[in-house]
Amino acid sequence: AQVDSELHTMQMDLTLGLRFRPWNTASRYLTVRAGGELLRSNEPIPPLMQRAFVGGIASVGLDQYVGTFMFNVDVRYGLIGNEGPRELALLIGVGLTGP
């Protein structure tokens, strides 16, 4: 049954990763992550006309510390190995680091 006229999705990711420093500076790190993703929608998505999809996910990113803040940028590609919808996402974050 159609619940709403708009497509709403819910996504959950579980990833494991490595963080390493290929540069001389101690404040910049490269991250590589891989794992699994679950995507669920309120409407069937073509071409499979399903509402739930499970697949792999991979990302590469950069973490930069500035004082007590950490800025990060990740490029993520999702639902690898599945015939469902794929996504390429740019994630930008800011965090506050502690002692």
Side-chain angles (χ1 to χ4, degrees):
Q2 186 169 348
V3 178
D4 197 351
S5 61
E6 295 182 20
L7 177 66
H8 298 284
T9 61
M10 188 249 336
Q11 175 181 336
M12 292 188 297
D13 302 335
L14 177 64
T15 61
L16 296 174
L18 297 173
R19 187 172 179 231
F20 53 97
R21 192 178 67 209
W23 303 280
N24 290 332
T25 178
S27 62
R28 185 176 302 140
Y29 292 85
L30 186 65
T31 61
V32 178
R33 295 182 183 93
E37 176 180 0
L38 169 65
L39 177 71
R40 185 157 170 82
S41 70
N42 66 330
E43 296 293 325
I45 299 175
L48 298 180
M49 300 309 289
Q50 294 179 359
R51 293 177 40 195
F53 300 91
V54 177
I57 188 168
S59 70
V60 63
L62 183 69
D63 293 347
Q64 176 69 49
Y65 289 92
V66 178
T68 60
F69 290 97
M70 182 186 77
F71 299 93
N72 65 334
V73 176
D74 283 330
V75 176
R76 181 176 292 185
Y77 182 70
L79 286 177
I80 301 167
N82 189 308
E83 294 181 19
R86 296 194 185 21
E87 67 179 2
L88 182 62
L90 176 66
L91 303 168
I92 299 171
V94 177
L96 183 63
T97 61

